[in-house]
Amino acid sequence: MTGVKIVAVGRYAPPNIVTNEDFQKWGLDTNDEWISSRTGMKRRHWVDANIATSDLAVEAAQRALDKAGLGPHD
């Protein structure tokens, strides 16, 4: 395949951030040190139940197209 190149990339993470401290607030028997020492995670992005993976992909794709100055039909 000749003449093909990546001209832009896009990413998207949903705005709802859940921290390790949130798990404690919700009454789970855990803490930030326990979670982060085992997983390296301090926070994660959660989506609502009505959001599909494809919805996230569409947002990331639109951002890549915008960076490249292209439209969806290009």
Side-chain angles (χ1 to χ4, degrees), residues 3-60:
V4 176
K5 64 181 177 177
I6 297 173
V7 295
V9 295
R11 64 185 177 99
Y12 177 73
N16 186 19
I17 296 173
V18 177
T19 66
N20 294 342
E21 289 83 13
D22 290 327
F23 289 117
Q24 273 184 280
K25 291 176 193 171
W26 298 334
L28 296 175
D29 185 21
T30 190
N31 59 51
D32 176 60
E33 190 279 325
W34 190 92
I35 296 170
S36 60
S37 68
R38 287 163 176 77
T39 68
M41 294 172 56
K42 293 280 190 183
R43 64 185 198 155
R44 69 264 320 129
H45 294 263
W46 279 9
V47 296
D48 294 329
N50 62 332
I51 304 293
T53 303
S54 57
D55 297 322
L56 304 177
V58 166
E59 183 64 35

